Amino acid sequence: MRIRCTEELHQNGGPGRFIHARAENVLDQLIDEYGGTVQLIYLDPPFGTGDTFHLRLGKGKKSLKLPAFEDRLEEGAYLEWMRGILTACRKLLSDSGSLYLHIDYRMSAQLRLMLDDIFGKTNFMNEIIWSYKSGGRSTRHFPRKHDTILFYRKSAKVFFNISAVGMPRGPERRNHMKRFIDEDGRICFTIRSGGKLYTYYEDTPIYPTDVWSDIEHLQQRDKERVGYGTQKPEALLRRILLSSSRPGDLVMDLFSGSGTTAAAASKLGRRFVAVDASPFALYTLRARQLACGSVLSLFEGEHDLRLSYAGDDTPAELDYSVRHNGNRCRVQVTTARFSTDYPLVYAALGTAEGACFHPQTVDCAPKLPLKFEMDNVPAPVLQIVDALGHQAFFRL
């Protein structure tokens, strides 16, 4: 019997929450629930490119290229849309909180002025340049090889800890410094400036400036890639999270996309709320977070991952068998497909309470026939998801 679920709750993969919705449609809900409590918001919205971006599932000739989201708003509509989101972000932030808006040359000037208006010029912190080397090389102008990250605080009470992102100076000499070994055998460097002698050791930290050229753009074969267009590297979010939040703090991403913010946040022991309208963002975040379950278990506390979405009535077909053996339940699925006839990308077996599904065992790369085993329960529930993001739940 098919049932309708609009939420699933995993024991690992958090602590965090994903909401499948357009950001502007859930702003009031988010403010009601989290207003004034969010420590850090990272936004990587559409850049105003006029393009369609894709998710690529699988590899080689059998891979699927599916449209993930469109970035086609006219400039005036885009800026009006972003003003509503940025205004809500200020209401969501705590007094010590901060916002990082990731954008590029197309809208950076307009959005910088908008942020000055919403947050106040005195709350501007940095215009961070993320410089990278990937992609083609134009000959019509200097190649455009950087993004801009606009960093604003909510108030003068902002939390910012640059010490958390310092890197050891290392053994190389810099800036005409003199290198020598002190009486304790430690390598150090000295430089005289303004009549004073400054001494630095190889383990003395060097802090990032507002130009980040040491974080590489993800390459095509990078192990971190999940196939989602516009994916950002975890190293980028790690630096942002470490400098502007503490373990246990709440961070938010209203354009979750490939799920990088959630991945970095959970690995660093932060709580997260992620929002995205694309069903592929839901699929990608779920698979990415569940794959990291062993890493997350190293931290104390709750690790629940809660996913919320609308019900789905896309017709689906299912053939299965159930065997109960003592205190175990074995399920074999021979047929599982939607009317759209796209391959499955996820399946799980568990229980349901009302509209909330509780998975006990999952498969993030399912191939028929599916075989699941779990604790014996009177009415196990099977979840299937296809490559277009359609979901169905069956009480077996």
Side-chain angles (χ1 to χ4, degrees):
M1 178 182 69
R2 186 163 177 178
I3 63 174
R4 174 178 285 237
C5 291
T6 56
E7 189 170 82
E8 63 191 78
L9 186 64
H10 297 262
Q11 293 183 348
N12 281 311
R17 178 185 183 189
F18 176 90
I19 302 172
H20 180 216
R22 292 187 63 86
E24 63 269 28
N25 293 339
V26 293
L27 291 177
D28 289 342
Q29 173 191 342
L30 292 174
I31 291 170
D32 287 343
E33 294 187 46
Y34 303 106
T37 67
V38 182
Q39 177 59 36
L40 168 64
I41 299 176
Y42 170 80
L43 299 180
D44 182 15
F47 287 2
T49 63
D51 296 332
T52 297
F53 293 88
H54 296 82
L55 173 76
R56 185 174 291 278
L57 294 175
K59 297 179 180 180
K61 294 181 179 179
K62 294 184 178 180
S63 67
L64 288 174
K65 185 179 180 182
L66 303 165
F69 68 93
E70 289 190 345
D71 181 10
R72 296 182 177 276
L73 279 180
E74 179 272 328
E75 182 174 324
Y78 176 92
L79 292 174
E80 182 181 358
W81 173 63
M82 284 300 299
R83 178 173 286 278
I85 289 169
L86 294 173
T87 300
C89 285
R90 190 177 186 282
K91 295 177 182 178
L92 285 162
L93 287 171
S94 67
D95 287 344
S96 63
S98 52
L99 170 81
Y100 288 77
L101 175 60
H102 193 139
I103 204 70
D104 74 359
Y105 66 91
R106 295 174 182 87
M107 294 291 178
S108 60
Q110 297 95 316
L111 291 174
R112 169 74 186 273
L113 293 173
M114 186 181 294
L115 284 166
D116 280 348
D117 183 41
I118 295 170
F119 281 77
K121 290 183 179 181
T122 58
N123 289 317
F124 167 77
M125 297 284 281
N126 283 109
E127 181 181 51
I128 299 165
I129 301 301
W130 176 38
S131 175
Y132 44 79
K133 300 180 178 65
S134 68
R137 297 280 169 175
S138 175
T139 57
R140 293 176 297 171
H141 48 70
F142 292 113
R144 294 162 180 156
K145 295 297 174 184
H146 81 271
D147 289 353
T148 300
I149 303 174
L150 299 173
F151 173 23
Y152 278 74
R153 66 188 185 186
K154 170 76 172 285
S155 75
K157 297 178 181 179
V158 65
F159 170 80
F160 180 70
N161 180 20
I162 200 170
S163 298
V165 292
M167 298 292 290
R169 176 174 291 273
E172 293 136 14
R173 192 175 76 160
R174 294 177 174 85
N175 301 330
H176 307 291
M177 290 183 175
K178 294 181 179 180
R179 181 181 184 274
F180 68 95
I181 299 176
D182 71 5
E183 56 187 15
D184 296 322
R186 299 173 66 196
I187 297 174
C188 61
F189 306 87
T190 62
I191 188 169
R192 188 173 294 277
S193 177
K196 293 182 179 181
L197 183 68
Y198 296 89
T199 301
Y200 303 94
Y201 289 88
E202 62 178 334
D203 58 353
T204 301
I206 294 178
Y207 302 120
T209 68
D210 60 0
V211 177
W212 296 356
S213 57
D214 58 326
I215 298 176
E216 293 293 333
H217 202 281
L218 292 177
Q219 304 303 316
Q220 289 299 321
R221 296 189 178 182
D222 198 297
K223 292 181 180 179
E224 196 176 305
R225 272 201 175 274
V226 297
Y228 203 99
T230 72
Q231 181 181 349
K232 303 302 185 293
E234 283 189 32
L236 187 71
L237 271 298
R238 180 181 175 86
R239 178 170 292 174
I240 291 170
L241 289 163
L242 284 172
S243 60
S244 291
S245 68
R246 295 148 294 203
D249 279 344
L250 178 62
V251 302
M252 189 173 285
D253 185 342
L254 301 180
F255 303 97
S256 176
S258 63
T260 300
T261 301
S266 54
K267 289 175 183 177
L268 294 173
R270 276 67 167 167
R271 298 173 294 129
F272 68 83
V273 174
V275 179
D276 202 287
S278 171
F280 304 128
L282 166 60
Y283 157 71
T284 302
L285 181 141
R286 179 201 282 124
R288 194 169 181 177
Q289 291 303 105
L290 295 181
C292 294
S294 59
V295 176
L296 307 182
S297 65
L298 298 175
F299 292 98
E300 295 182 359
E302 298 294 328
H303 304 294
D304 289 350
L305 173 64
R306 182 156 56 113
L307 310 175
S308 302
Y309 35 75
D312 191 335
D313 296 319
T314 304
E317 179 183 351
L318 186 73
D319 287 325
Y320 66 92
S321 62
V322 181
R323 293 179 59 191
H324 298 278
N325 185 9
N327 62 350
R328 301 296 290 173
C329 170
R330 293 183 175 89
V331 174
Q332 178 166 309
V333 180
T334 53
T335 301
R337 60 173 175 260
F338 290 85
S339 58
T340 48
D341 210 25
Y342 275 80
L344 298 185
V345 294
Y346 176 79
L349 186 68
T351 60
E353 295 180 13
C356 185
F357 175 60
H358 297 265
Q360 285 198 26
T361 178
V362 306
D363 188 341
C364 293
K367 292 184 179 179
L368 295 172
L370 303 176
K371 295 181 180 180
F372 289 108
E373 184 173 336
M374 61 178 270
D375 293 338
N376 209 349
V377 295
V381 173
L382 178 75
Q383 175 190 18
I384 58 172
V385 182
D386 76 355
L388 286 183
H390 298 304
Q391 300 196 106
F393 298 84
F394 295 89
R395 196 180 298 280
L396 306 182

